């Protein structure tokens, strides 16, 4: 630091300049610097410890993560080995159930049902002949041949008259008995004469005898 010179006084010669007393240095900058250095060292040491803790914490999960891998690798091998059992198997010792023979029931065959006969279609002439034959048989006793002749007399063909008489349900023996009874009511007949009259009416010998025997 340069000391200002007074211009009213001449500068002293170089050899005769008085010595400037040395200034006292202040101590607080050094104290402050030392404190800063201490804080820096403390921070460095503390940071190092924190980094170690972080490193230790980060490495801990990895070690724990590897542990299940080891356990998982060895667990199937252990569980796959069958455990020895001193208890005998009850399933293998149980006897097999006895097989009961089943007797098949005999099949009962139902009787075959005969199909209904198909009635042939008739013509209108045959239908009328049937109606006329039924009316005649309801009014008076007839033999089979006598009823056919009556229908032919009415104008029906022999085929239609025969079809009509055969389609009726008639007991010809009963018709012979009714006819014999009518003859006996009108005029007296011997039994043989009555049989001949019935045969003349168209009844067979068997039917005539049956009718005469029923009327006498």
């Amino acid at each position: 630091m340069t000391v200002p010179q007074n211009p009213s006084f001449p500068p002293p010669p170089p050899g005769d300049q008085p010595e400037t007393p040395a200034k006292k240095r202040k101590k607080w900058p050094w104290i402050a610097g030392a404190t800063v250095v201490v804080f820096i060292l403390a921070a460095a040491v503390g940071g190092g410890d924190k980094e170690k803790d972080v490193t230790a914490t980060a490495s801990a999960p990895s070690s724990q993560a590897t542990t299940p891998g080891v356990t998982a690798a060895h667990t199937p091998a252990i569980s796959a080995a069958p455990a020895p059992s001193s208890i005998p198997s009850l399933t293998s010792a149980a006897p097999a159930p006895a097989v009961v023979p089943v007797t098949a029931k005999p099949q009962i065959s139902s009787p075959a049902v005969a199909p209904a006969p198909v009635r042939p279609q008739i013509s209108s002439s045959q239908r009328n002949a049937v109606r006329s034959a039924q009316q005649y048989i309801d009014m008076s006793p007839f033999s089979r041949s006598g009823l056919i002749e009556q229908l032919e007399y009415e104008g029906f063909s022999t085929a239609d008259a025969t079809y009509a008489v055969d389609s009726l349900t008639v007991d010809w023996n009963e018709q012979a008995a009714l006819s014999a009874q009518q003859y006996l009511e009108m005029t007296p007949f011997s039994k043989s004469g009555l049989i001949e009259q019935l045969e003349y009416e168209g009844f067979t010998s068997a039917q005539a005898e049956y009718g005469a025997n029923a009327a006498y």
Side-chain angles (χ1 to χ4, degrees):
M1 185 174 179
T2 307
V3 179
Q5 296 179 3
N6 192 349
S8 58
F9 295 95
D16 297 334
Q17 289 183 354
E19 294 181 359
T20 303
K23 294 183 179 182
K24 295 181 180 180
R25 296 181 179 178
K26 296 180 179 181
K27 294 181 180 181
W28 64 269
W30 294 101
I31 296 173
T35 304
V36 171
V37 171
V38 171
F39 277 110
I40 291 172
L41 293 175
V45 174
D49 294 339
K50 289 182 180 181
E51 289 179 358
K52 291 180 180 180
D53 293 340
V54 172
T55 305
T57 304
S59 61
S62 62
S63 62
Q64 293 178 358
T66 57
T67 302
V70 175
T71 305
H74 294 284
T75 300
I78 296 174
S79 60
S85 176
S86 60
I87 301 174
S89 177
L90 298 179
T91 305
S92 60
V99 179
V100 179
V102 179
T103 305
K105 295 182 179 180
Q107 295 182 356
I108 301 174
S109 59
S110 58
V113 179
V118 180
R119 299 183 62 181
Q121 294 182 355
I122 61 176
S123 62
S124 59
S125 178
Q126 291 174 336
R127 188 180 300 108
N128 292 329
V130 171
R131 292 176 61 187
S132 181
Q134 187 65 49
Q135 288 178 356
Y136 277 116
I137 207 73
D138 290 341
M139 291 186 299
S140 178
F142 278 91
S143 65
R144 177 180 178 275
S145 60
L147 187 56
I148 292 174
E149 290 177 358
Q150 183 64 32
L151 293 176
E152 289 176 347
Y153 179 78
E154 292 292 334
F156 294 102
S157 65
T158 303
D160 292 344
T162 304
Y163 173 83
V165 172
D166 291 341
S167 66
L168 300 179
T169 304
V170 182
D171 186 357
W172 300 115
N173 288 332
E174 184 181 358
Q175 292 295 314
L178 293 174
S179 182
Q181 187 66 34
Q182 284 182 354
Y183 278 116
L184 290 176
E185 290 177 356
M186 292 185 297
T187 183
F189 277 93
S190 64
K191 188 175 184 180
S192 59
L194 185 57
I195 291 174
E196 290 178 0
Q197 184 63 33
L198 292 175
E199 289 176 350
Y200 178 78
E201 291 292 334
F203 292 102
T204 64
S205 299
Q207 293 171 355
E209 290 180 3
Y210 177 86
N213 292 331
Y216 258 87

